[in-house]
Structures are given as C-alpha cells and as structure tokens.
Amino acid sequence: MKIASEKRLLALVYVAIIAIVSFRIAVHPTHYTTPDSEHYLNRCNAIRSVMSQSITLSRLSKIKKGFYTWPVGYPVSIALVSFCTKTSPLVSSKIVNFIFLGLLFILLYNWHGKKAWFLALSFFSYGSLEVISETWSETPFIFFVFLLAYTITKSENYSPFRSSITLTICLIFLFLFRYVGVIYIFIVALYGLKYFLNGVRKLSYSYFAAIVASSIFSLWYLYDNKLSSGYLTGTQRIHLGYQTFFEFTKLLFQALFNEINVARNYNFNNENLDFLFVSSIIIQSFTIFLLVKKRSYLNRPLKLNSGAKALLNISVGYLVGIVLLKIIIPFDNFDFRILFPFTSPLFIMALAVISNSSQREYFKKTYRIIVLFMLISFMWNLPKKYILNKIKHVQLTMNQAF
C-alpha cells in the first residue's frame, strides 16, 4: 500500500474509535463516569471558577486542597480544554481522552511508519475502549508511557541533553497523571544502569540526570501533600496484610486471564454462564489456531528490535511495580483499568513484531486474520442492549402501523 493510503487507514482507525466511544458515552446511563470521575470533574469546576475570576491566594489554596488524593494532571487538562472550547467538564474530559489518543496515534506513525494503522488496531480491544470511554486519567497516562518507550528507543541517536530533557518530561507527566507513574523512574534507572555498565557513560548520565530531576519534583509534590494533608497522597493508603496470599493471587490471575481475552471480560462473580464471553473465547481461540498454523512463514529465531524490547520492558516493569504496590496498598482490584499500562504496550509490541519487515511473509499471510478478529472485537463492544432495544422498538412500531 502507498504511504498516503496507510495514513488514511490510521486516520480511519482513529475516527472509528472516536465514533464508537462517542456513541457508547451518549447512550450509557452515567456517560461512563465513576466516583473518581466525579472528583476530576469537581476539581475542573473549581479551576474554571478561579480562571473566570481574579486569582487570589485563598482561592488557589482552596483548589490545592483537592489535589492530594489525585494528582493535578488530568483535572487541569480538562479545565484547559473546557476553557478553550466552552464545553462542559464532562464533555471536555472526553475531548481530552480523544486528544491524547490522537497524539498517541501520531507517535505510532512517527515510530512505526506505514504499519502504524495495524498497531492501532489493538485499541479495538475491550479494555482499551472501556478506558477511553471513561473519565479517567489512563488515556493521557498511556500516551506518556508510549512516549517514554519511544524516547528510550531513540535516545542513543539523541544528544545527552535532549535525552535527559525528554525523559524528565515523560517521568514528570506520568507522575502528574497518576501517582503510580513513579514506577517508571525505577525502569529508567535500570536502563541508565545498563548503559553505565556497558560503558555508554554519557547516555547513562543523561538517564541519571532525568531520574534525579523527576525524583526531586515528585518528592517535592509528595512532601507538599504531607505538609498540607498529613499524608503523602492525601489519605492513608498503606495497609499491610489486608488480603491473604491466596486471595491476592487469585484476583491477580483472574485479571491476567481477562487481559488476554481481547474482545470481552468475564465476570467471575456472575454465577450464570456468559454466552457472549464464551463466544468471544471460541473466536479468539480459532484466530490463534490460524496464526499458529501459519508459523512456517515465520523467520527464526525471533528477535526483538530495540523498540519492541522497550515496550516489553516497560510493560513487564509496570506489572511488577503495580503488583508490589498492591501488596501494601488496597487500591482497586486488578482489572482492565489497573492493568491497561501493562496490556497496551504488550499488545502493540506483539503487533509490531508481526508487522516487522523481517516477518514480511508471515505478515502477508496473517494480517487479514488479525484485522478481521480486531473488527469483530470492535463490533462486539458496541452498546448491544441499547441497539437491541431500539430494534425491538422499531419492530413494535411497524407491527402497530401495519
């Protein structure tokens, strides 16, 4: 395919996601908001009220009190979009997600070129569509996760100063959108240590400089929280031994089981058999069977390039970090929201390996299968109950008319 058509395919994937997410949001009873969402929207309203009046220390102090439990990145982004577009905070929160998804797709194109549309298909999965639909900070957060992976991949071609600045920006914004962004400081530290031990000293120093700068910022932010609220993140979070090892392990493996199921999640608390889930599993299993059947077209041994390695390391590093945090902090159970920064880079990495130029024959034999499956997943996540009710209403109206 020509480059222009590849760009159009990427744009088509983006428009399709925006269309289905907008449809889902419009017909959902809560418009995909949760208690966390209400916090973000309330903070946005507080910021907008200050922006529309004269700024005083007392008003700034009042806003600041709402930024302890959750960091400032997402509500400030919503407020800026709301101020510029004159839309409500709820609508602006969805626009923020769409903007960062668009930036992510541009990044994928700059990174992987004409195969970016193929990689973007991973966002047709159940977890991705759910996260993008919600008023949550995960969509902007995942953009900076990929930007970090991209920077790590390209850092050897950058000047040490540019590497240091870009890494610092990524690490700070990851923290500003989610406190767990501190996990990536340790991942970057491991990269810096690797370069140092391999004798690439200037590059390692740029990594260490980024770690120091972002750590100072994060510690200052948390210390200010401590002075103002009494806790580093606005509330008491550390509770050792709140789950048994068996309960913890069971919930983790249930969540990981759901993450490998692309089209639909299974509700383990539901006593009834989920036929939609069973159907999606059968379709996915058949798809995997076809991909394995074509394995003779694979060039062996499989080698990951630097980009794929960065995505894999960042994905696994996040999973290890979030599991360790979950042991001492009883935040939400493992689910598609918590594991999105683990799953998304992993899926992109898998598709990148398949579409790599070294696997040209395998890609030619399998990409239609993968595209078809991702389109099925995409359609699977339409608001089926709403559509079915509308069809029944139309049928009822026609029966009454004739």
Side-chain angles (χ1 to χ4, degrees):
M1 284 183 264
K2 295 180 179 179
I3 292 178
S5 63
E6 302 282 1
K7 285 184 178 179
R8 283 196 291 268
L9 279 174
L10 181 61
L12 181 61
V13 172
Y14 177 70
V15 170
I17 292 174
I18 300 304
I20 190 175
V21 168
S22 299
F23 180 36
R24 285 156 54 96
I25 292 168
V27 303
H28 195 272
T30 67
H31 306 300
Y32 282 94
T33 56
T34 65
D36 286 2
S37 306
E38 294 301 323
H39 167 83
Y40 293 132
L41 298 177
N42 289 336
R43 289 302 91 212
C44 171
N45 281 324
I47 296 168
R48 283 206 61 183
S49 66
V50 169
M51 293 172 70
S52 61
Q53 304 174 36
S54 59
I55 298 176
T56 64
L57 289 176
S58 61
R59 285 177 181 148
L60 288 175
S61 177
K62 186 178 180 180
I63 292 177
K64 182 182 172 185
K65 290 180 180 179
F67 289 134
Y68 302 144
T69 308
W70 290 268
V72 303
Y74 195 45
V76 169
S77 299
I78 298 171
L80 289 173
V81 170
S82 180
F83 182 79
C84 293
T85 62
K86 309 302 180 185
T87 54
S88 69
L90 177 61
V91 172
S92 297
S93 69
K94 311 305 182 182
I95 295 174
V96 168
N97 288 356
F98 296 163
I99 289 172
F100 277 99
L101 181 66
L103 292 174
L104 175 52
F105 279 20
I106 292 171
L107 177 64
L108 287 178
Y109 185 80
N110 289 331
W111 194 351
H112 295 278
K114 60 183 183 179
K115 291 298 191 297
W117 68 270
F118 183 68
L119 276 58
L121 292 174
S122 68
F123 290 94
F124 282 179
S125 66
Y126 168 85
S128 295
L129 292 173
E130 287 290 311
V131 166
I132 297 167
S133 299
E134 296 279 2
T135 296
W136 289 340
S137 62
E138 274 69 19
T139 303
F141 184 82
I142 202 65
F143 164 73
F144 286 104
V145 169
F146 278 96
L147 183 59
L148 178 64
Y150 177 78
T151 302
I152 289 172
T153 303
K154 302 295 183 181
S155 62
E156 292 185 15
N157 301 322
Y158 292 164
S159 67
F161 178 76
R162 181 180 177 184
S163 295
S164 183
I165 293 297
T166 311
L167 288 169
T168 301
I169 290 171
C170 289
L171 292 174
I172 287 176
F173 275 97
L174 283 167
F175 175 80
L176 286 177
F177 278 99
R178 289 182 66 199
Y179 284 133
V180 295
V182 297
I183 290 172
Y184 296 96
I185 293 178
F186 296 97
I187 297 174
V188 171
L190 291 176
Y191 267 98
L193 181 60
K194 183 195 78 168
Y195 285 126
F196 182 83
L197 295 177
N198 289 341
V200 190
R201 297 299 168 85
K202 287 186 178 180
L203 186 57
S204 69
Y205 295 152
S206 71
Y207 274 62
F208 294 142
I211 293 165
V212 171
S214 57
S215 297
I216 289 173
F217 176 86
S218 301
L219 289 171
W220 166 79
Y221 191 105
L222 294 173
Y223 180 67
D224 185 65
N225 279 354
K226 176 73 173 178
L227 292 178
S228 303
S229 68
Y231 299 101
L232 293 177
T233 56
T235 185
Q236 174 63 31
R237 294 180 185 265
I238 297 177
H239 299 279
L240 294 173
Y242 68 97
Q243 278 183 330
T244 66
F245 177 78
F246 174 77
E247 290 172 336
F248 182 87
T249 306
K250 181 184 75 172
L251 292 174
L252 174 59
F253 278 96
Q254 285 178 351
L256 291 175
F257 172 78
N258 269 334
E259 286 304 289
I260 64 174
N261 297 311
V262 175
R264 186 175 175 85
N265 274 197
Y266 181 73
N267 183 3
F268 286 91
N269 295 322
N270 189 357
E271 296 180 357
N272 299 320
L273 185 64
D274 186 342
F275 289 102
L276 286 175
F277 176 79
V278 173
S279 300
S280 70
I281 284 291
I282 293 172
I283 295 171
Q284 181 168 324
S285 299
F286 182 65
T287 301
I288 294 172
F289 168 76
L290 293 177
L291 295 178
V292 172
K293 190 177 179 181
K294 303 287 185 181
R295 67 186 181 279
S296 60
Y297 294 97
L298 281 171
N299 288 328
R300 296 183 178 86
L302 288 176
K303 293 183 179 180
L304 302 182
N305 59 25
S306 58
K309 288 179 181 177
L311 288 171
L312 179 61
N313 291 336
I314 278 181
S315 174
V316 174
Y318 173 83
L319 179 62
V320 172
I322 205 68
V323 167
L324 292 176
L325 283 176
K326 187 74 167 64
I327 291 172
I328 61 173
I329 301 176
F331 50 77
D332 296 338
N333 285 331
F334 291 114
D335 58 10
F336 62 86
R337 179 184 183 183
I338 297 299
L339 294 179
F340 185 54
F342 160 68
T343 309
S344 187
L346 202 62
F347 284 173
I348 292 287
M349 183 214 71
L351 295 179
V353 170
I354 291 173
S355 62
N356 190 278
S357 57
S358 65
Q359 301 296 343
R360 188 170 300 162
E361 287 302 313
Y362 185 74
F363 177 72
K364 286 181 179 179
K365 297 293 182 181
T366 59
Y367 83 91
R368 291 183 180 87
I369 299 170
I370 296 171
V371 170
L372 178 60
F373 173 68
M374 295 312 300
L375 287 174
I376 292 172
S377 174
F378 183 70
M379 300 302 293
W380 214 265
N381 287 288
L382 285 166
K384 293 175 286 297
K385 288 184 179 179
Y386 176 83
I387 294 172
L388 184 61
N389 287 335
K390 287 297 180 182
I391 292 173
K392 288 181 179 179
H393 178 72
V394 170
Q395 289 176 337
L396 180 62
T397 303
M398 291 180 66
N399 292 334
Q400 291 175 346
F402 298 100

